[in-house]
Amino acid sequence: CAELGMSRDLVGKKVLVTAGPTIEPIDPVRYLSNRSSGKMGFEIAKAAARRGAEVSLVTGPVSLADPAGIETVRVETAREMLAAVEGCFDEADIAVFAAAVADMRPAAPAAKKLKKGSDADALARIELVENPDILATMARRKSKQVVVGFAAETDDVVENARKKLRAKGADYVVANFVGEGGAFDADDNEVVVVSAEGERSYPRSSKSAVADALLDHILGDR
Ligand code: CTP
Ligand code: CA
């Protein structure tokens, strides 16, 4: 009864969602990371599950609890996230990459804690190497999947989202503004969805409502 009036248009479909940040160790006590609460990705996973999908949620460290009824895989680094995603991408019908993946990782994390005094040089110059691009890697492998990326931008939001759509081979890129007053840690969000068909703006609303609108948009095009 709780679902009375709700659309069950994803029954029989599998949906994969990445969420949250990744964290990349510098040493056993320090890491570099991105800002991300995980809320948007979790809301997409929950909306898809409400609509009947079988959902796999691969998330970096966030303070949110595993959503009921959703297979939730907890990872830390980008490489762990990629490995988890590779395990369920092929069978997914829709793959949504909402995670804020760290673009770089320390090249050689220290096994022991670096000390400010004796390891000052190492701490002042942490060599970084690029992480795999999970979305681009999976988009190259896509068959039936609808691939959805996100673009967190502080400026030229739509233009940058269009570039990412092309560069990564996604079917949709959901762009949001993340400067001051933007989406970080907020419960609501304002997005523009770009695709080969054009672009569509959604007014500011709860991340839960944005999640449903996004699924409506994707399913409406099919
Ligand atoms: N993404 C990913 N793996 C990465 C980096 C990004 O899967 N190593 C995904 C994100 O989950 C998002 C999309 O790619 O769906 C865009 O991420 P974003 O950080 O906005 O773009 P980048 O290509 O990393 O470019 P930049 O950070 O320089 O803007
Ligand atoms: Ca990035």
Side-chain angles (χ1 to χ4, degrees):
C1 286
E3 281 165 352
L4 207 63
M6 292 241 358
S7 164
R8 299 278 294 167
D9 47 6
L10 286 172
V11 170
K13 299 286 183 193
K14 292 192 175 166
V15 175
L16 163 66
V17 181
T18 71
T22 67
I23 61 172
E24 311 292 334
I26 294 167
D27 69 14
V29 301
R30 302 182 179 93
Y31 60 77
L32 67 83
S33 190
N34 274 0
R35 288 183 62 171
S36 171
S37 65
K39 285 177 187 167
M40 193 64 241
F42 272 56
E43 288 303 333
I44 291 166
K46 283 155 60 182
R50 279 196 303 272
R51 293 165 76 143
E54 192 181 312
V55 181
S56 299
L57 172 62
V58 179
T59 181
V62 293
S63 59
L64 306 169
D66 290 10
I70 294 179
E71 185 205 15
T72 305
V73 182
R74 304 255 170 192
V75 299
E76 294 200 331
T77 67
R79 289 186 295 175
E80 288 167 11
M81 185 172 277
L82 175 61
V85 166
E86 280 178 325
C88 35
F89 181 81
D90 290 341
E91 56 186 38
D93 298 289
I94 300 174
V96 182
F97 296 86
V101 182
D103 293 313
M104 311 293 281
R105 68 174 181 274
K112 289 186 187 161
K113 183 181 176 185
L114 299 169
K115 302 299 287 178
K116 276 188 293 187
S118 49
D119 298 315
D121 282 354
L123 279 170
R125 275 173 290 279
I126 298 162
E127 195 193 329
L128 302 177
V129 292
E130 196 166 348
N131 268 327
D133 189 312
I134 300 168
L135 164 56
T137 304
M138 301 323 296
R140 280 195 293 273
R141 227 165 89 172
K142 103 186 169 91
S143 51
K144 60 175 175 174
Q145 294 81 5
V146 179
V147 172
V148 184
F150 272 71
E153 308 289 347
T154 56
D155 34 40
D156 303 328
V157 176
V158 171
E159 195 186 316
N160 281 319
R162 287 226 156 272
K163 282 186 193 153
K164 284 175 185 171
L165 185 78
R166 283 194 298 272
K168 292 172 187 263
D171 297 301
Y172 299 88
V173 168
V174 184
N176 57 343
F177 167 74
V178 291
E180 213 162 303
F184 282 136
D185 208 35
D187 290 319
D188 55 10
N189 201 0
E190 184 182 346
V191 303
V192 181
V193 181
V194 302
S195 68
E197 275 76 54
E199 65 198 53
R200 185 156 161 195
S201 302
Y202 289 89
R204 176 163 291 278
S205 49
S206 69
K207 285 182 176 174
S208 162
V210 171
D212 270 312
L214 187 58
L215 293 172
D216 290 344
H217 186 125
I218 294 167
L219 293 167
D221 283 348
R222 307 280 127 191

